[in-house]
Amino acid sequence: MKKLLLIGISLSIWASAFSQTDNLKRKIEDIIAPKKATIGVAVLHIENKDTFSINGNIHFSMQSVFKFHIALAVLNAVDKGKLGLKQKVFIKNTDLLPNTWSPMHDKYPDGNVSLTLSEILQYTVSQSDNNGCDILIRLVGGTQVIDDYIHSIDIKDFSIKTNEEEMHKDWNVQFTNWTTPIAAVEALNTAFEKKILSSKSHKFLWKTMFETSTGKNKIKGQLPIGTQVGHKTGYSGANSQGLTAVTNDIGIVTLPNGDHFAISIFVSMSTEKEEVNDRIIADITKAVWDYFINNKK
């Protein structure tokens, strides 16, 4: 396991209540220490800018987390008038690959159907549809367009080079799509607080994120029932040696007082079982939740 580091994000260094922050660090280290995995965490309190990270500058494969960034690029194209949320997109039979996670394929197994762009975005983000993802990548002009856009909003530690179809063909390809925990939180904050999108696109994005149905045992796993969480998961599956490249979740969590925190957790190169990897994410999130609940400002 890689050495744990406490790092301040460029937005603000967590400078207050050092002993309490140390307590949070120890709690998270206790969660991480016995696990056979490399784990990265970054947290930003949206309103007061408190920050925290462990292994925050390490490059982690994104897997389906990149669908959040793809949605940002697609909605930017909508705001520029290049695409429209209500426009119909014809989906050919060959667009719906059968051997991949795709609720869209389950509903339309024969393809040759027209769906609105908003429907494809909802499939891709809320249900993590792999076919929907690749349709959006092609529609917006390819991975380079998305990469350029994310860098243009000042998210530097990010790379997207390939799509879901290619990742399914070769285990190693997934590592060409990467980000850091800190950059993932910065992207969440930029999209949530700075409102880089139009009001309509911003509202659509976060409605879709808060409706995400995947990863109920990750960020949301140990939070009180009914907590509002807008998030995007990622998961590589395990290879033949039992190694899971990544189990990820990034999102915005709403606190009881109406404040929010952005969090990203990446569990990488893990030999733990899937439920253990999920529980790592849930337990870390709950530790952060408890910190903010008990240290109100």
Side-chain angles (χ1 to χ4, degrees):
M1 185 183 301
K2 296 183 183 295
K3 183 179 179 181
L4 302 177
L5 301 172
L6 181 64
I7 305 168
I9 305 178
S10 60
L11 294 169
S12 170
I13 295 177
W14 207 334
S16 61
F18 282 109
S19 62
Q20 295 168 354
T21 303
D22 287 345
N23 288 337
L24 174 61
K25 180 174 181 283
R26 282 193 294 270
K27 284 183 180 180
I28 295 178
E29 287 178 340
D30 287 343
I31 294 167
I32 292 174
K35 304 303 188 296
K36 297 175 182 177
T38 297
I39 300 162
V41 182
V43 180
L44 166 68
H45 189 291
I46 298 292
E47 284 75 19
N48 67 31
K49 305 308 179 194
D50 279 355
T51 63
F52 177 86
S53 75
I54 290 173
N55 292 332
N57 289 314
I58 290 177
H59 293 189
F60 290 91
S61 166
M62 287 186 286
Q63 278 290 338
S64 288
V65 160
F66 80 153
K67 292 167 184 171
F68 166 70
H69 303 83
I70 291 166
L72 290 181
V74 171
L75 290 170
N76 175 65
V78 169
D79 289 345
K80 290 183 175 179
K82 297 177 180 179
L83 298 171
L85 285 175
K86 294 182 179 179
Q87 81 174 69
K88 292 280 189 175
V89 179
F90 183 72
I91 299 171
K92 305 187 296 297
N93 175 268
T94 53
D95 290 330
L96 296 180
L97 304 180
N99 298 319
T100 191
W101 173 256
S102 181
M104 189 188 303
H105 175 269
D106 294 343
K107 187 170 183 178
Y108 306 106
D110 298 324
N112 298 322
V113 62
S114 291
L115 299 179
T116 63
L117 179 60
S118 64
E119 288 177 299
I120 299 171
L121 277 163
Q122 286 164 337
Y123 269 114
T124 300
V125 177
S126 294
Q127 300 184 54
S128 205
D129 194 292
N130 290 336
N131 285 318
C133 171
D134 287 359
I135 290 167
L136 292 176
I137 290 173
R138 290 191 291 270
L139 193 63
V140 82
T143 57
Q144 189 61 54
V145 171
I146 299 164
D147 195 74
D148 289 345
Y149 173 69
I150 298 301
H151 287 134
S152 79
I153 58 173
D154 206 30
I155 308 302
K156 303 305 181 186
D157 290 326
F158 172 89
S159 177
I160 173 174
K161 300 298 182 186
T162 193
N163 63 13
E164 288 284 0
E165 182 179 1
E166 293 302 318
M167 283 193 286
H168 278 70
K169 292 178 179 178
D170 185 337
W171 171 267
N172 291 317
V173 169
Q174 66 180 297
F175 299 104
T176 65
N177 291 343
W178 60 266
T179 192
T180 67
I182 287 175
V185 159
E186 289 175 339
L188 288 165
N189 178 63
T190 296
F192 188 77
E193 186 187 38
K194 295 185 178 178
K195 297 182 176 61
I196 53 175
L197 302 171
S198 69
S199 177
K200 182 178 180 180
S201 290
H202 182 271
K203 182 178 179 179
F204 174 84
L205 172 67
W206 288 104
K207 179 177 183 294
T208 303
M209 289 281 283
F210 279 99
E211 290 174 348
T212 291
S213 60
T214 60
K216 294 179 181 179
N217 296 323
K218 294 184 170 70
I219 284 177
K220 297 179 73 172
Q222 299 295 315
L223 298 181
I225 294 173
T227 300
Q228 286 192 315
V229 179
H231 65 123
K232 185 71 209 76
T233 57
Y235 177 56
S236 67
N239 66 12
S240 58
Q241 287 76 46
L243 181 69
T244 299
V246 283
T247 300
N248 307 330
D249 205 359
I250 71 169
I252 301 286
V253 178
T254 307
L255 291 160
N257 66 355
D259 283 354
H260 310 83
F261 65 88
I263 186 167
S264 68
I265 306 173
F266 294 77
V267 180
S268 177
M269 296 306 177
S270 175
T271 56
E272 306 286 354
K273 294 183 181 298
E274 181 180 357
E275 56 267 27
V276 175
N277 294 327
D278 287 354
R279 184 61 184 255
I280 292 168
I281 294 173
D283 287 348
I284 290 172
T285 305
K286 183 58 163 57
V288 174
W289 170 275
D290 290 344
Y291 175 86
F292 287 128
I293 293 296
N294 295 324
N295 293 279
K296 297 176 182 177
K297 292 187 177 179

